[in-house]
């Protein structure tokens, strides 16, 4: 015994060694080695990521990791982005803030995604954490500019305030003036989601001017084009910039002022914003285009010729987000100009029109897959696809890690052969051996799921809509995809059999969402009873599921693993299945 | 068949052509020579427009999967272009499509164009002429691009039903009162 102890490192040394281990996975592995390593590791873990805020309780996290400085939490299921999760479902951050206020006085960073944040929560953050530095609210809601004012006023060392894609009750632009004159620490400010046309522009200018470390600034539409030059001249060190409006009547002095301001930003690599673009002002960007690695034009309603001109000036582009106005011709230009392209997202300009309004087809994507050897991540909305094109894309780009294709009309077949797109998507999973994320669309039978189950061994997230013929489809996925963490399904004929046969699989995943499928209330109850480590939640806004026969399918189902047991903050239209829960109801 | 005879006897430019063509699938034959935008077929009479917005009719929530905030932002922009106002406030006007029907003299099939992405008569006319393949169909007759443009005039029907020459009015007035467009050949 004593010999063994003589060979073991003192705790401080191990702690020092562990401090170099940053990834959660590695940290978890370290904690499994032995009891003493677990003990040392948990006291020095500084960052925690909780992918589902209901999988664990705040107290459990605090008990295990007493010295956390940075926390990242995710709330609602992904399909909440598309209005499939009713308001009031949950995802409240207040209980977490309340517990952490006492337990983590030195907390520095809070990053939230799809959570409900209230002004009360923001005020509590402002009051409780003296060294608070980073607040990222990604796709959150429930708070107003009053809450932001509290953060601005109290957080003396604030480095990051990022409100990307959040719904903020924009009561007044004056909250910016709450940043004290002594605040010079800002590194990142993203207020692009603020909707009103008010912003205290002079407060913003002064804030930007006194923060020499400001690297990322994303403005909202209240900031007009003529004001951009003023801002940029105060922050020539910016690396990432989001414009407000990029439209105004063309005036030579405004243009040259703008062009001059942009050219003074020698570090600028990433641009976004661009609401209401006047193409005549795009050449003001030409001086920085050669350095640009990321360009988000996904709100810019500019036509293909202007897009082509801009993109042809950006040979170093790695990431492009754009509307389908880019058309096949624009994507062909992209393929020939931007050899460093890694990520492409093409959004629909007219998602609800049945007739195509632009000439964007599968050809554009094929061209990019051929011309851009580093392409890894694709999100593409279009109106037609063929198996041949998908096979070509798969063969051209086996290095794809994310492939999300949305053919706008559900159940659209291969437009050349009128067959299902099983073979095409099959080729994607077969060739792209590192594929981690996949979204399907078009006409698909159970065969596509057979391919996915066979080849999708690294697949972590799968999104399915209007696909499949029977339970066999779901069974292939649940039994074959070893790395699957998140599965979201809507409008597919998947029922009880596959779910019950693969119940154990669900404990190895973060979550499963199924809406407008064929899973019966009885099966949900059974699953809830047999699997205590799963929360099986039925969502039905019209009537309680037990007011109908057990064989009736449920409207929406959300299943997730949890060590915290059932939650108690559910609205009236959400029911948790299981023995223990029935007693509490 | 009856339909085919009608096709032969009816005058060019007559609206009664449009429907039989679609029903018989003859539209595909006419389009065979148009290599560009093969699937971008014309938009016909308004009777068909109800069937076109299938997704709305089906009442599909959350499809296509475009995030709510993104849809809101895009809708805002269409409004802004339609009112051609410099202020950014999104509100007031009901949700109207910014698409306008465009016809060309001598061509049966009407097209639709998104007026919100244009800011000048020049780009609008060029786009319309490209749409009707004027530059590729008549290269030897009309010579240069500029000559082509001068041979055609853009007219529009306003809300009162009058047909006017587009460039006679300022852009903003034109956009506000525009109902539909027609490209005609200049005389003299």
């Amino acid at each position: 015994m004593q010999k063994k102890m003589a060979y073991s490192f003192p705790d401080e040394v191990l702690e020092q060694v562990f401090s170099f281990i940053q990834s959660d996975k590695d940290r978890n592995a370290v904690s499994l080695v032995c009891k003493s390593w677990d003990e040392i590791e948990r006291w020095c873990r500084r960052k925690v990521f909780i992918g589902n805020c209901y999988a664990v309780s705040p107290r459990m996290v605090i008990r295990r990791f007493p010295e956390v400085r940075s926390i990242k939490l995710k709330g609602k299921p992904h399909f909440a982005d598309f209005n499939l999760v009713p308001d009031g479902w949950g995802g409240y951050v207040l209980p977490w803030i309340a517990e952490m206020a006492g337990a983590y006085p030195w907390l520095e960073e809070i990053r939230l995604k799809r959570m409900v944040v209230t002004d009360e929560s923001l005020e509590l953050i402002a009051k409780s954490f003296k060294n608070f530095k980073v607040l990222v609210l990604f796709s959150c809601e429930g708070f107003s500019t009053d809450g932001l004012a509290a953060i601005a006023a109290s957080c003396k060392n604030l480095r990051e305030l990022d409100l990307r894609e959040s719904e903020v009750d924009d009561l007044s632009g004056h909250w910016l003036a709450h940043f004290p004159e002594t605040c010079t620490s800002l590194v990142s400010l993203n207020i692009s989601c603020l909707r009103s046309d008010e912003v205290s522009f002079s407060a913003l200018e002064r804030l930007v001017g006194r923060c020499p470390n400001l690297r990322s600034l994303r403005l909202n539409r209240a900031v007009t084009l003529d004001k951009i030059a003023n801002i940029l001249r105060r922050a020539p060190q910016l690396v990432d910039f989001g414009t407000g409006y990029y439209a105004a009547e063309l005036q030579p002095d405004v243009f040259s002022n703008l062009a001059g301001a942009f050219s003074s930003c020698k570090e600028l690599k990433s641009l976004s914003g661009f609401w209401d673009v006047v193409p005549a002002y795009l050449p003001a960007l030409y001086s920085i285009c050669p350095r640009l690695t990321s360009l988000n034009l996904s709100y810019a309603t500019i036509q293909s010729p202007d897009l082509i001109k801009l993109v042809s000036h950006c040979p170093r582009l790695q990431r492009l987000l754009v509307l389908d106005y880019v058309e096949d011709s624009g994507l062909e230009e992209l393929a020939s100009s931007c050899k460093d392209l890694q990520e492409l997202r093409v959004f629909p300009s007219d998602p609800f029109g049945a007739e195509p309004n632009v000439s964007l087809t599968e050809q554009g994507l094929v061209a990019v897959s051929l011309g851009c050897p580093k392409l890894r991540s694709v999100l593409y909305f279009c109106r037609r696809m063929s198996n041949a094109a998908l096979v070509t894309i798969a063969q051209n780009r086996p290095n794809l890690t994310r492939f999300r294709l949305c053919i706008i009309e559900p159940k659209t077949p291969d437009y050349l052969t009128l067959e299902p797109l099983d073979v095409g998507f099959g080729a994607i999973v077969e060739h792209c051996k590192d594929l981690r994320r996949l979204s399907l669309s078009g006409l698909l039978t159970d065969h596509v799921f057979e391919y996915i189950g066979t080849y999708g061994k690294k697949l972590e997230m799968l999104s399915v809509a209007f696909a499949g013929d029977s339970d066999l489809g779901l069974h292939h996925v649940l039994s074959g995809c070893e790395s699957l963490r998140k599965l979201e399904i809507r409008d597919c004929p998947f029922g009880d059999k596959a779910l019950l046969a693969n119940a154990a699989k669900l404990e190895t995943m973060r979550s499963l969402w199924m809406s407008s499928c064929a899973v019966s209330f009885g099966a949900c109850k059974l699953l809830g009873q047999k699997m205590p480590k799963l929360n099986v939640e039925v969502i039905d806004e019209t009537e309680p599921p037990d007011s109908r026969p057990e064989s009736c399918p449920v409207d929406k189902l959300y299943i997730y693993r949890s060590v915290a047991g059932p939650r108690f903050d559910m609205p009236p239209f959400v029911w948790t299945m299981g023995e223990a829960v029935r007693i509490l109801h | 068949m009856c339909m085919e005879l009608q096709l032969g006897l009816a005058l060019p430019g007559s609206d009664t052509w449009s429907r039989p063509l679609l029903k018989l699938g003859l539209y595909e034959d006419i389009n065979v020579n148009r290599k560009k935008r093969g699937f971008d077929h014309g938009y016909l009479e308004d009777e068909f427009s109800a069937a076109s917005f299938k997704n709305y009719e089906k009442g599909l929530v959350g499809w296509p999967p475009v995030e709510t905030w993104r849809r809101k932002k895009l809708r805002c922009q269409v409004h802004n272009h339609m009112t051609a106002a410099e202020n950014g406030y999104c509100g007031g006007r009901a949700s109207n499509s910014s698409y306008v029907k465009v016809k060309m003299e001598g061509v049966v099939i009407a097209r639709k164009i998104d007026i919100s992405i244009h800011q000048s008569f020049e780009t609008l006319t060029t786009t319309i002429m490209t749409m009707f393949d004027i530059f590729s169909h008549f290269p030897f007759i009309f010579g240069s691009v500029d000559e082509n443009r001068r041979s055609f005039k853009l007219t529009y029907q306003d809300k009162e039903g009058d047909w006017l020459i587009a460039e006679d009015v300022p852009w903003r007035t034109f956009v506000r009162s525009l109902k539909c467009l027609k490209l005609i050949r200049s005389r003299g």
Side-chain angles (χ1 to χ4, degrees), chain A residues 52-54 85 88-92 535 537 539 558 560 562 564-571 573-576 581 584-585:
Chain A
N52 174 6
C53 65
Y54 291 119
V85 177
W89 174 85
Y92 307 104
N535 280 357
E537 292 182 8
I539 302 170
Y558 185 51
Y560 56 91
S562 176
R567 60 185 177 113
F568 298 109
D569 62 356
M570 295 171 311
F573 52 81
V574 177
W575 290 268
T576 301
V581 183
L584 290 159
H585 267 344

Side-chain angles (χ1 to χ4, degrees), chain B residues 61-86:
Chain B
V61 176
W63 191 269
V66 178
E67 293 103 327
T68 323
W69 53 267
R70 187 176 285 282
R71 263 186 275 142
K72 281 187 190 163
K73 279 183 177 159
L74 266 174
R75 223 186 296 143
C76 257
Q77 280 170 276
V78 169
H79 288 163
N80 291 338
H81 279 290
M82 284 302 279
T83 59
E86 248 96 70

Side-chain angles (χ1 to χ4, degrees), chain B residues 3-183:
Chain B
M3 294 287 205
E4 285 172 304
L5 282 172
Q6 270 185 352
L7 225 59
L9 292 171
L11 291 168
S14 157
D15 286 339
T16 57
W17 277 44
S18 348
R19 248 169 288 162
L21 267 174
L22 189 65
K23 281 188 183 160
L24 289 174
L26 290 175
Y27 176 78
E28 267 66 50
D29 296 330
I30 288 190
N31 237 12
V32 126
N33 290 323
R34 292 180 186 229
K35 285 179 209 150
K36 205 167 98 166
R37 301 182 182 211
F39 76 107
D40 189 17
H41 40 270
Y43 200 92
L44 303 178
E45 303 308 306
D46 283 334
E47 279 83 343
F48 288 96
S49 62
S52 304
F53 286 81
K54 288 184 213 153
N55 282 340
Y56 270 151
E57 290 212 323
K58 280 185 199 162
L60 280 177
V61 176
W63 191 269
V66 178
E67 293 103 327
T68 323
W69 53 267
R70 187 176 285 282
R71 263 186 275 142
K72 281 187 190 163
K73 279 183 177 159
L74 266 174
R75 223 186 296 143
C76 257
Q77 280 170 276
V78 169
H79 288 163
N80 291 338
H81 279 290
M82 284 302 279
T83 59
E86 248 96 70
N87 72 70
Y89 181 66
C90 177
R93 249 179 118 112
S95 182
N96 279 324
S97 174
S98 56
Y99 284 98
V100 178
K101 209 192 310 188
V102 188
K103 283 193 185 156
M104 182 172 152
E105 198 179 34
V107 175
V108 170
I109 312 283
R111 312 295 290 267
K112 266 211 168 177
I113 192 166
D114 183 355
I115 197 76
S116 70
I117 61 171
H118 291 277
Q119 277 100 21
S120 75
F121 290 114
E122 206 182 344
T123 63
L124 180 62
T125 315
T126 309
T127 304
I128 293 173
M129 291 173 77
T130 312
M131 228 183 215
F132 286 102
D133 269 339
I134 287 172
F135 300 121
S136 52
H137 276 186
F138 311 108
F140 302 113
I141 300 171
F142 290 110
S144 76
V145 168
D146 279 339
E147 278 169 30
N148 273 333
R149 208 179 287 128
R150 272 179 261 135
S151 326
F152 289 89
K153 223 180 257 197
L154 188 62
T155 63
Y156 76 101
Q157 187 176 39
D158 70 3
K159 295 201 161 103
E160 269 105 53
D162 300 323
W163 281 96
L164 306 163
I165 295 174
E167 279 174 89
D168 280 352
V169 296
W171 176 259
R172 272 187 216 175
T173 313
F174 161 73
V175 168
R176 276 209 198 101
S177 49
L178 170 65
K179 234 190 98 183
C180 62
L181 290 161
K182 190 166 185 179
L183 196 67

Side-chain angles (χ1 to χ4, degrees), chain A residues 310-369:
Chain A
L310 186 62
V311 153
S312 63
H313 281 84
C314 306
R316 290 231 171 81
L317 209 57
Q318 293 173 12
R319 189 168 184 259
L320 177 67
L321 280 67
V322 75
L323 283 171
D324 57 9
Y325 289 127
V326 69
E327 300 193 324
D328 289 340
S329 54
L331 292 177
E332 278 152 26
E333 174 63 36
L334 183 71
S336 67
S337 307
C338 303
K339 295 303 182 187
D340 281 347
L341 197 73
Q342 295 176 16
E343 181 177 350
L344 174 68
R345 297 192 188 204
V346 180
F347 295 97
S349 51
D350 183 22
F352 301 109
E355 300 301 316
N357 60 320
V358 290
S359 184
L360 179 103
T361 69
E362 82 285 2
Q363 293 307 318
L365 187 56
V366 171
V368 176
S369 74

